[in-house]
Amino acid sequence: MTPFAARIRQMRRARGVTQKEMAAALGVSPAYLSALEHGRRSPPNWAMVQKIIGYFNVIWDEADELQRLATLSHPRVVVDTAGLPDKATALANLIARHIAELDEEELTRLFDELEGILEKKRKVTE
């Protein structure tokens, strides 16, 4: 499941809405919505994310968060390391080979650590 899929499912269930009802309101098939919620589809495009935001009637921070999650939620990631240092390729391959072995706590720790490193780099360049 992707971060976007988990959030959409949580929002839908919290409101007591079925996939069939939500799919009809969005103008998509229940099969599409099910695949989206299970992370078996690419993230929705901007227009679909906007429909979902409108459907749940969320604004500001929550709408921004849904858009951010959609950009982080491609279930099949391709990492192009051509032209990057050899450590970049080694890291990408290490993650690809072993990500399924990591539990939720380990994934969170690695994610937070990498986000922290990238945030520091952004602040330096600003």
Side-chain angles (χ1 to χ4, degrees), residues 38-54:
H38 286 91
R40 292 190 303 262
R41 296 284 311 211
S42 296
N45 62 27
W46 183 86
M48 180 55 68
V49 174
Q50 294 307 305
K51 281 184 176 182
I52 293 168
I53 287 168

Side-chain angles (χ1 to χ4, degrees), residues 6 8 10 12 16 20-21 26 28 33 36 42 50 58-59 66 76 85 89 101 110 113 120:
I8 293 303
Q10 182 268 326
R12 181 182 59 73
K20 187 175 182 178
E21 292 166 336
L26 295 175
V28 299
L33 187 58
L36 185 63
S42 296
Q50 294 307 305
V58 297
I59 59 171
L66 281 175
R76 291 196 173 106
T89 301
E101 300 167 21
L110 287 170
E113 179 70 21
K120 286 178 189 174

Side-chain angles (χ1 to χ4, degrees), residues 10-117:
Q10 182 268 326
M11 292 174 76
R12 181 182 59 73
R13 287 181 172 171
R15 288 165 175 80
V17 178
T18 67
Q19 280 184 344
K20 187 175 182 178
E21 292 166 336
M22 183 174 166
L26 295 175
V28 299
S29 71
Y32 169 82
L33 187 58
S34 176
L36 185 63
E37 279 193 9
H38 286 91
R40 292 190 303 262
R41 296 284 311 211
S42 296
N45 62 27
W46 183 86
M48 180 55 68
V49 174
Q50 294 307 305
K51 281 184 176 182
I52 293 168
I53 287 168
Y55 178 77
F56 287 120
N57 196 29
V58 297
I59 59 171
W60 308 110
D61 292 343
E62 196 169 7
D64 289 345
E65 178 66 3
L66 281 175
Q67 189 66 56
R68 185 184 77 81
L69 290 175
T71 64
L72 293 175
S73 293
H74 200 294
R76 291 196 173 106
V77 178
V78 175
V79 181
D80 182 2
T81 61
L84 297 177
D86 62 336
K87 286 287 186 191
T89 301
L91 176 61
N93 281 283
L94 182 67
I95 290 170
R97 276 194 314 276
H98 298 286
I99 197 160
E101 300 167 21
L102 301 172
D103 64 29
E104 189 71 29
E105 182 180 320
E106 292 163 334
L107 289 168
T108 299
R109 192 171 66 242
L110 287 170
F111 184 88
D112 291 346
E113 179 70 21
L114 184 55
E115 256 196 340
I117 291 168

